[in-house]
Amino acid sequence: MTSLLKTEDETMLADSARGFLDDAAPVSHLRGLRDAGKVHDPALWAQMAEMGWTGVLVPEEAGGADMGHAAAGILAGEMGKTLVCSPFIGTAVIAATALRQVANDRASAALRGIAEGKTIYALAVDEGPKHDPDAAQMEAVADGNGFRISGAKTFVCDGMSADRVLVLARTGEGLTLFDLPTDRDGITRSAMSLVDSRDAARITFDAVAATGDDVLGQVDDAMTVLRPALEAGQAALAAEMGGVAAGAFAMTVEYLKERKQFGVPIGMFQALQHRAAHLWCETEVTASAIAHAGRKLDEDPAQATLAVSLAKARATQTVTLAVQEGVQMHGGIGMTDAFDMGFYMKRARVAAEWLGDYGYHAAIVARLREI
Amino acid sequence: MTEALDAFRAEVRDWLEANCPEEMRDGGSGEENICWGGKRWQFQSEAQKVWLERMAAKGWTVPTWPKDYGGGGLSRDEDKILQSEMRRIKARSPLQSFGIWMLGPALLHFGTHEQKAHYLPPIARGEVRWCQGYSEPGAGSDLASVQSRAEPRGDHFVVNGQKVWTSYADKADWIFALLRTDKDAPKHKGISFVLIDMSSEGVSTRPIRLISGSSPFCETFFDDVKVPREQVVGEENRGWDVAKYLLTHEREMISGGGGGLLGGRGVGAMLDGADDPVLRAGAMTCEIDALAMGLTLERYKDMAKTGSVGDASAMLKYYGTELNKRRNEVMMLAGGSDALEWDGAHGSLPADWLRSKANSIEGGTSEVMLSIISRRVLGLPA
Ligand SMILES: Cc1cc2nc3c(=O)[nH]c(=O)nc-3n(C[C@H](O)[C@H](O)[C@H](O)COP(=O)(O)OP(=O)(O)OC[C@H]3O[C@@H](n4cnc5c(N)ncnc54)[C@H](O)[C@@H]3O)c2cc1C
C-alpha cells in the first residue's frame, strides 16, 4: 500500500484548500450563517464546484476530477479545521460513491449534476436515535409496476437543502435504495435544529410513488450500492473530525502560550502541558488511521471495512477529547458563545453520531478482529 | 521500481524457504525465545545458531545497515518486504540486542570509520553483546546529572562510579556509558559517551531481582577502570548529543516491540464464552488503539526515511508503552484466575504483565515523554 504520508500532490491540494477556506469559510462563516438562520451557502458550494471539489469522486467522463478517497479525506479534513458548512460529504462523497456503483445513463447524468454543483443529495437511512442501516423498517410496498413508500426518516444531514434524497426502505426480500427528488408528492421535510447549526431534516414519506427507474442498483439489494457509499462517507467524516480536532487543538495550544495567570503563561503548568501533550499523541495516532482509510478505499475498496471503522472510531474518541480539553483549558471564555470553541464542541458531537458512533464502529472492528 | 521490488520479494521468499530452519518458524517472540548473542551466549538449539549464522551472512540481522559494516544495505522498502516475508512464515527474529537497537544507530551517526568498522560487524554477527550504562542512583529522569567520572590521564581515562538498572550487565561483553569528563562545565556539557569492555579490571556487577521474578538488570560498579581515550564516541564532553540521539532509537524500539494486538487467537480466544461487557469493551478499545498505533509506527518509519522524526518519537514511546500496559491488563482480566499462576495455563503471561509495567519507565518515563512533547513539539514554555 502507498505510504500514509501525504504525496506531493496531496500536500499541494491541502495547502490550496487551506488557502481558499481561510478566506472563504473561516469559522466566522458558520457563525454568520447561524446568526442569519441559514444552513447552506449556495455561493460557497458553487465555488467548491468550480474548484472540482464536488466532483472529487466523479469520473472524468461525467465531468468530475476523480481524485479518489484519500483526496476527498484531505478536503474534508481542511474543511473540518474551520468547521466549513457544506453538503460535501453527503453529496460529493456518499451520493457520488453510491451512483458510481451503478453503470447506467441515469447515474452518469446524476454524477454530472453533482460535479457541476447543480444537485445536492442527502442520505436518508436512520429511523431511530442510533445509526443502524440494517434495522431500517420503512416499507416500500409493491404497487403495480412500482412501489409506494411510507414511513419516516430522521437525522437526514443536508436534508433541507437537498434536491434529491437516497432513501433506504424494506421491500419484499430485503432492503432497496431509492433515489428520489425531494419535491416528489408525499414527501414532507421538517428542519431539525441541530446543536451544530448545520442542515438536517426529518422526512416523512406518505405513500410516495416510486418506479423501477427510481431504484439505485437492484431491488432487495441496497447494500451492494449503499455499503461502499456509507464507508466512503464514514472515512470522509472521520477525516473531517480529524480536522475539527486539529482546529480545536491549535486554538488550545495558542491559548496556553498567551494566557497568563500567577504571573506566567498557563502553558508553564505541567498539569496542562501533559494533558496537551497527551491530546497531541491521540491526534497523531488518529491521523494515521484516517490516512489509512483513504488509502484503503482507493486501493482495495472491497476490503476497506476494518480500516474505515477503525478511522471513524478513533476520530470519534479523539475529537471528543480535543473539544472537551479545548473548553476546559480556556476556562470561562471557552463557555462563551462569542468564542469559537463551542462551535467545535457542537460539531464534534453531531459528527460523533452521524454514520455510526464509537460503539457501532468498535463492534465492527471487534467482529473483524475476532474479539 | 515496483518490478524490482517484486523481484526482490520473490528472491527473499525463496531464500527464506531454503534457509529458515523449521524450528525457527513458530513465531516465538517471548523472552525465552530471543537470541541475544554475545561471547557467553548459550544457543537454545542448533537451529537457533544456524538461523543466526545464515541471516548474519546475508547482513539481514541488521538489514538497513551498510554492507561495509555487516548490514544488508537494504532500502526501507526492501526492509519492509523482508519483514513481511518473515512474518508470513512466522520466522523468529534471528537476533535482538542493544547493539542493534541503540549503539549501532549512534555509531553510524557519530562514530569514526575505524569505530564503525571495529564495533559494528560483531554486533551484526551477534558475537558481542552490549549493555547501556546511563542511569545512576541519583540520575534517573534527570539523566544529565550523572556523577560517574572518567578522568583523563594521557591516552586513557580512569573511570570510577556506579550505574544502576543496567539491563543484562551481567551477560554483556561491553557497555556504552555516560560519564562525567568535565565536572566544572554546565551539567549537559561535561559528559562523554564512552565504550568500555566489561572484562576490564575494576568492573563488577550485582543483579537486581524484578517484580516479574527474573533479574535482567544489575548495579554496575567502576573501580579505577582504565579505558583508552579513543573509546569515546563523538567529541569529549559532547556525549549528551550522542546520548539523546541514541535515546530516540531506544524509544522507538520500546514502543514498537510492545505494541501487539489482541485479535485473532489472542484475547479473542481467551474471551470466548466470557460475556463480561466491561472486559469486552476494554478489549475492543485496546484493539482499536493498537491497530491505529501500528499504522502510526509505519507512518513514522516512512517519515524517518525522508527526514528526521526528532522529538516526536517521544509520542511513539509514550503511546506504545501505555498501550502495552493496557493490553496486558486486558489479557490478565480475560485469563481470570487461570492467569494468576507463574507458568500456568497462560504461560509467561503473568511475568509479561508485570514486565510491561517497566515499559513506561525504562528509556525515559511517560511523564518525561509528555514533557518533551509539550516543550519541543508543541513549543509550550519551560
Ligand atoms: C526494566 C528496566 C530496565 C532498565 N534498563 C536500563 C538500562 O539498561 N540502562 C540504563 O541506564 N537504565 C535503565 N533503566 C533505568 C530507567 O531509564 C530509569 O528507571 C528511568 O529513566 C527513570 O528514572 P528513575 O527510575 O530514577 O525514576 P525517577 O526519575 O526518580 O522518577 C520517579 C517518578 O517521578 C516522575 N518524574 C521525574 N521527573 C519528573 C518531572 N520532571 N516531571 C514530572 N514527573 C517526573 C517520573 O515520571 C516517575 O514517575 C531501566 C529501568 C527499568 C525499569
Side-chain angles (χ1 to χ4, degrees):
Chain A
M1 172 163 322
T2 311
S3 162
L4 299 181
L5 299 179
K6 283 197 183 87
T7 63
E8 245 171 72
D9 283 353
E10 287 171 344
T11 304
M12 272 167 54
L13 179 69
D15 290 348
S16 72
R18 187 73 267 138
F20 169 74
L21 293 170
D22 278 341
D23 232 25
V27 183
S28 57
H29 178 258
L30 171 67
R31 180 185 292 281
L33 287 175
R34 181 200 65 173
D35 292 346
K38 293 191 180 134
V39 290
H40 176 55
D41 176 2
L44 179 65
W45 188 238
Q47 281 177 293
M48 290 185 180
E50 233 163 77
M51 292 183 297
W53 295 7
T54 56
V56 65
L57 294 173
V58 173
E60 286 174 15
E61 309 87 77
D66 204 8
M67 291 189 274
H69 295 278
I74 285 168
L75 292 175
E78 293 304 325
M79 292 186 211
K81 285 183 191 163
T82 47
L83 305 175
V84 176
C85 179
S86 90
F88 179 76
I89 292 177
T91 301
V93 178
I94 297 176
T97 305
L99 288 160
R100 275 190 95 146
Q101 311 302 313
V102 182
N104 63 30
D105 291 348
R106 225 183 49 75
S108 303
L111 282 164
R112 185 171 297 277
I114 289 175
E116 290 172 351
K118 290 190 181 136
T119 317
I120 293 175
Y121 265 93
L123 178 68
V125 165
D126 294 341
E127 297 172 13
K130 287 288 170 184
H131 177 71
D132 190 0
D134 295 315
Q137 291 302 324
M138 195 166 94
E139 275 192 287
V141 181
D143 179 40
N145 280 339
F147 301 89
R148 289 277 172 185
I149 307 173
S150 295
K153 294 286 182 184
T154 187
F155 196 24
V156 181
C157 292
D158 309 315
M160 296 309 289
S161 22
D163 308 296
R164 301 189 68 89
V165 61
L166 298 179
V167 188
L168 184 65
R170 211 153 270 290
T171 41
E173 304 282 307
L175 292 165
T176 300
L177 193 62
F178 295 90
D179 176 354
L180 305 173
T182 46
D183 58 4
R184 176 83 47 99
D185 275 351
I187 293 181
T188 313
R189 296 182 280 171
S190 65
M192 296 173 76
S193 60
L194 289 191
V195 290
D196 69 346
S197 307
R198 299 276 292 260
D199 181 358
R202 278 193 192 82
I203 307 187
T204 57
F205 298 77
D206 184 12
V208 173
T211 68
D213 269 358
D214 295 323
V215 173
L216 204 58
Q218 303 297 317
V219 173
D220 292 335
D221 182 22
M223 288 308 165
T224 303
V225 172
L226 185 58
R227 182 82 57 215
L230 282 171
E231 286 178 358
Q234 286 153 349
L237 183 58
E240 184 196 320
M241 296 164 90
V244 175
F249 181 64
M251 281 173 72
T252 304
V253 171
E254 268 323 294
Y255 195 69
L256 291 178
K257 292 175 187 171
E258 267 165 28
R259 169 70 176 168
K260 287 201 171 129
Q261 282 293 281
F262 301 97
V264 294
I266 56 172
M268 281 202 33
F269 302 132
Q270 198 183 55
L272 299 190
Q273 290 184 340
H274 285 192
R275 283 164 62 173
H278 170 78
L279 175 53
W280 180 77
C281 293
E282 295 286 1
T283 62
E284 274 297 292
V285 174
T286 295
S288 311
I290 291 169
H292 179 243
R295 291 270 183 268
K296 199 78 185 166
L297 284 169
D298 283 334
E299 295 175 19
D300 190 11
Q303 303 295 325
T305 307
L306 176 64
V308 168
S309 282
L310 179 66
K312 178 65 165 73
R314 278 288 319 184
T316 300
Q317 286 300 70
T318 300
V319 78
T320 303
L321 182 66
V323 296
Q324 285 172 358
E325 293 290 59
V327 169
Q328 180 65 22
M329 291 195 212
H330 276 86
I333 199 172
M335 286 300 294
T336 60
D337 184 72
F339 194 68
D340 287 341
M341 189 57 77
F343 281 106
Y344 283 86
M345 178 168 271
K346 295 168 199 168
R347 179 59 188 159
R349 185 80 272 283
V350 172
E353 289 296 330
W354 193 29
L355 306 176
D357 65 4
Y358 183 82
Y360 177 88
H361 289 286
I364 292 174
V365 172
R367 176 168 52 75
L368 294 173
R369 295 288 308 162
E370 295 173 50
I371 282 181
Chain B
M1 179 64 185
T2 43
E3 254 170 56
L5 287 179
D6 287 344
F8 180 72
R9 184 182 291 278
E11 185 191 315
V12 168
R13 191 171 288 193
D14 290 347
W15 189 88
L16 287 175
E17 204 43 68
N19 288 283
C20 182
E22 211 48 57
E23 300 99 298
M24 294 293 106
R25 301 188 193 191
D26 61 356
S29 59
E31 177 77 29
E32 71 282 5
N33 292 322
I34 295 177
C35 174
W36 290 100
K39 292 196 180 77
R40 280 168 284 172
W41 183 249
Q42 303 278 329
F43 286 98
Q44 187 189 42
S45 62
E46 185 59 22
Q48 192 184 49
K49 180 161 180 278
V50 167
W51 181 222
L52 170 61
E53 285 168 358
R54 289 181 182 164
M55 285 292 274
K58 286 289 265 189
W60 286 356
T61 52
V62 283
T64 60
W65 289 11
K67 283 189 169 162
D68 288 351
Y69 304 130
L74 300 192
S75 69
R76 161 96 172 105
D77 286 332
E78 288 168 335
D79 184 35
K80 269 190 192 172
I81 288 173
L82 174 60
Q83 302 308 328
S84 84
E85 287 302 316
M86 284 177 65
R87 269 196 307 274
R88 201 179 63 85
I89 60 165
K90 297 209 174 81
R92 287 192 199 174
S93 164
L95 177 68
Q96 298 192 32
S97 74
F98 289 13
I100 294 178
W101 296 321
M102 305 185 208
L103 181 63
L107 274 179
L108 283 169
H109 197 268
F110 290 95
T112 61
H113 171 68
E114 285 72 26
Q115 287 174 329
K116 291 182 210 177
H118 183 72
Y119 293 109
L120 292 177
I123 293 175
R125 292 193 297 265
E127 289 165 3
V128 170
R129 184 169 179 183
W130 287 82
C131 65
Q132 176 187 34
Y134 276 26
S135 305
E136 294 180 4
S141 298
D142 182 14
L143 182 60
S145 63
V146 288
Q147 294 302 326
S148 293
R149 301 258 297 124
E151 274 172 80
R153 302 259 173 86
D155 64 352
H156 66 272
F157 294 114
V158 174
V159 177
N160 279 290
Q162 183 197 339
K163 294 289 172 182
V164 71
W165 320 134
T166 326
S167 295
Y168 308 113
D170 52 341
K171 304 197 170 65
D173 305 304
W174 280 68
I175 185 168
F176 49 91
L178 288 186
L179 301 171
R180 192 152 297 283
T181 35
D182 183 349
K183 62 179 185 332
D184 302 320
K187 68 177 181 180
H188 293 92
K189 303 247 165 75
I191 297 170
S192 296
F193 187 100
V194 185
L195 310 178
I196 303 174
D197 185 339
M198 291 294 276
S199 64
S200 315
E201 192 154 336
V203 180
S204 59
T205 61
R206 193 190 303 155
I208 306 171
R209 193 173 146 107
L210 274 179
I211 56 174
S212 56
S214 59
S215 55
F217 60 19
C218 298
E219 292 173 287
T220 305
F221 302 93
F222 301 108
D223 188 10
D224 282 336
V225 180
K226 215 173 138 182
V227 178
R229 260 172 113 156
E230 69 254 21
Q231 287 172 207
V232 168
V233 178
E235 281 174 51
E236 265 178 42
N237 294 321
R238 299 293 297 274
W240 187 244
D241 296 338
V242 186
K244 275 196 309 185
Y245 181 84
L246 183 145
L247 277 172
T248 61
H249 284 271
E250 177 178 6
R251 285 164 190 166
E252 279 165 38
M253 182 277 294
I254 295 172
S255 59
L261 295 168
L262 292 165
R265 288 173 302 122
V267 83
M270 287 167 80
L271 280 173
D272 214 29
D275 213 13
D276 173 348
V278 175
L279 171 52
R280 199 167 281 276
M284 283 180 181
T285 300
C286 193
E287 182 76 353
I288 286 171
D289 296 344
L291 287 167
M293 183 62 194
L295 296 169
T296 304
L297 284 169
E298 286 303 312
R299 186 161 68 91
Y300 270 66
K301 277 187 210 158
D302 287 343
M303 224 187 280
K305 194 174 59 172
T306 51
S308 172
V309 171
D311 295 311
S313 70
M315 181 273 287
L316 303 178
K317 175 18 171 119
Y318 164 66
Y319 209 89
T321 60
E322 292 295 336
L323 188 60
N324 194 37
K325 288 197 296 183
R326 265 166 65 200
R327 177 175 156 275
N328 274 281
E329 287 294 337
V330 169
M331 303 271 277
M332 286 298 283
L333 203 54
S337 62
D338 280 352
L340 298 180
E341 211 178 2
W342 299 111
D343 297 318
H346 294 294
S348 63
L349 176 59
D352 294 345
W353 159 69
L354 287 163
R355 179 61 181 80
S356 74
K357 303 304 178 199
N359 295 160
S360 52
I361 299 170
E362 60 197 326
T365 68
S366 283
E367 291 73 23
V368 167
M369 294 305 104
L370 290 172
S371 290
I372 290 175
I373 293 166
S374 66
R375 252 173 278 141
R376 306 218 197 102
V377 180
L378 305 182
L380 293 176

